Amino acid sequence: MKKTRILSFLLVIILAGVFTSCKDDFTEEDALNAQQTVDVSIYVTDYFNTTAVSGATVSIIKDGATVTAETNEQGVASFSDIKIGGGLPVTVEKEGFTKVNKLVDIDVTNYREGHFTTTVDVLSLTENTAIIKGKLEIETDLTNEETEIVPEGTEVIAILNVEDFSGNSIEISATTDANGNYELVVPATNYGVEYTLKYQTLTLDQKIAKNGNKGDEEFPATLPSLANISTVFNPHGSALDIPSVPSIVATLPAPTDADGTQAEIYVDFGSMTADGGIDDFDVDVTGTGYTPGAELNVTVTSLFGGSGLAAIWTVDGSGNVSGNANITDTGSGYPMTYEANKAAKDEPSFSFEVEISSGEIVLQNGDYGTGTIRAE
């Protein structure tokens, strides 16, 4: 009988040890994992006004699917049985307010809690706002004296960086109209806020005069021409150089002697007639190896129109081309300035930082300049 009581006592001790051991090993983390879900309330407020925002649509991702709820008069949207853990995607949207995307950590400090509340801030686009507006220009034609406007639909973004703001940063975007104008309505405060402006990088065809491509033979074997070349306009880049290209060139045939030198002549722009006629040429490189006494027709290549010129150069008795041409008709309508590319090298010009207060209108014009990368 005594033996039976001893065995029973030992069994009680062993079981007590087992249960004690299980209790020690079962941590708060185990309980938290066992619980797995809590109810979540998302409180939506206007960050600058610190007021509740009712009627906002709040979306979360629950078990791989989108679940939505609307904030009540207190600005609260409620969700049930949300898994505990980090990185719950939350989106808040309401007409007249900024859209916010945020990752929320469902971080409860006590595993017995069955509820979790977090705050998401938005900004009003109808109250306490300001306006940033301007016009964007660009040089997509280097051969004229005007500055072009950017294509319709060019994007401008104003980025508001607010410390401790739940969305981390707010981006307000607008696009240019047919006249290159844009307008951004942005949240602001009476004491002022700072925005960073971001301008879209553009890749467009640019009209440009060129002497030739890399690897081409020198003038007069290669003549100047106009081209539309794909060009990158980067607001943060450095402008490329603009080539000096004559708007008119005059050429003569090659010499009959293979060892001769082809004559090179140029137009005297200072002697052109009032209606754009050419009444003078000068020899730049004396030609040799031509047939003595031959009459050579002068050919004019104009990048911008003109017609009617008739001129003959008579080779002297030694087979050289020098002296003056015999111009029988000066023609008309030829360009009267040397440079075919009228635009000079122009760096991008933008203001990237803006400080603005409620009710203000800030004018921020911008110029993309003459291009930062050219295909040829």
Side-chain angles (χ1 to χ4, degrees), residues 195-375:
Y195 279 90
T196 299
L197 293 184
K198 181 180 179 182
Y199 301 91
Q200 179 182 354
T201 296
L202 302 173
T203 301
L204 304 169
D205 281 347
Q206 181 183 63
K207 187 176 182 181
I208 185 173
K210 61 179 182 176
N211 293 303
N213 296 327
K214 290 181 179 179
D216 287 349
E217 293 186 59
E218 296 293 327
F219 176 83
T222 300
L223 298 178
S225 62
L226 297 177
N228 290 308
I229 298 177
S230 179
T231 303
V232 175
F233 296 85
N234 184 347
H236 296 277
S238 297
L240 297 169
D241 289 333
I242 307 299
S244 177
V245 181
S247 58
I248 308 173
V249 293
T251 55
L252 292 174
T256 52
D257 187 343
D259 294 327
T261 301
Q262 185 167 358
E264 294 183 21
I265 56 178
Y266 63 90
V267 177
D268 185 354
F269 286 90
S271 298
M272 294 187 70
T273 64
D275 61 351
I278 303 172
D279 65 358
D280 188 23
F281 296 105
D282 290 315
V283 175
D284 191 25
V285 176
T286 299
T288 63
Y290 288 86
T291 303
E295 293 185 342
L296 308 176
N297 289 318
V298 178
T299 300
V300 170
T301 301
S302 171
L303 299 184
F304 305 110
S307 61
L309 177 86
I312 294 175
W313 217 295
T314 302
V315 180
D316 65 20
S318 300
N320 300 325
V321 173
S322 60
N324 296 316
N326 178 23
I327 300 176
T328 58
D329 191 336
T330 61
S332 63
Y334 293 99
M336 301 178 69
T337 56
Y338 175 85
E339 288 291 347
N341 289 318
K342 305 296 191 299
K345 177 181 176 180
D346 186 18
E347 302 289 345
S349 176
F350 292 99
S351 295
F352 294 101
E353 302 296 332
V354 179
E355 185 169 347
I356 192 168
S357 301
S358 299
E360 285 188 340
I361 299 176
V362 172
L363 185 64
Q364 295 285 49
N365 293 327
D367 189 344
Y368 276 90
T370 50
T372 55
I373 301 174
R374 209 170 282 125

Side-chain angles (χ1 to χ4, degrees), residues 95-153:
E95 185 72 24
F97 287 84
T98 56
K99 178 181 177 180
V100 171
N101 295 304
K102 182 181 180 181
L103 292 178
V104 174
D105 293 334
I106 309 301
D107 183 18
V108 295
T109 57
N110 188 323
Y111 70 89
R112 294 180 180 86
E113 293 178 5
H115 192 270
F116 177 80
T117 300
T118 188
T119 300
V120 176
D121 299 311
V122 294
L123 295 172
S124 175
L125 295 173
T126 58
E127 298 179 4
N128 296 324
T129 60
I131 295 176
I132 304 171
K133 62 189 298 185
K135 183 176 184 178
L136 302 185
E137 297 181 314
I138 194 169
E139 287 285 357
T140 52
D141 187 346
L142 301 181
T143 67
N144 63 16
E145 296 180 351
E146 294 78 35
T147 299
E148 291 72 48
I149 58 175
V150 298
E152 184 175 0

Side-chain angles (χ1 to χ4, degrees), residues 42-63:
I42 296 177
Y43 179 43
V44 179
T45 65
D46 185 326
Y47 183 78
F48 285 155
N49 297 330
T50 63
T51 56
V53 177
S54 62
T57 299
V58 182
S59 304
I60 67 170
I61 304 298
K62 178 182 177 182
D63 299 326

Side-chain angles (χ1 to χ4, degrees), residues 148-162:
E148 291 72 48
I149 58 175
V150 298
E152 184 175 0
T154 298
E155 187 176 35
V156 182
I157 299 175
I159 303 171
L160 172 62
N161 295 309
V162 181

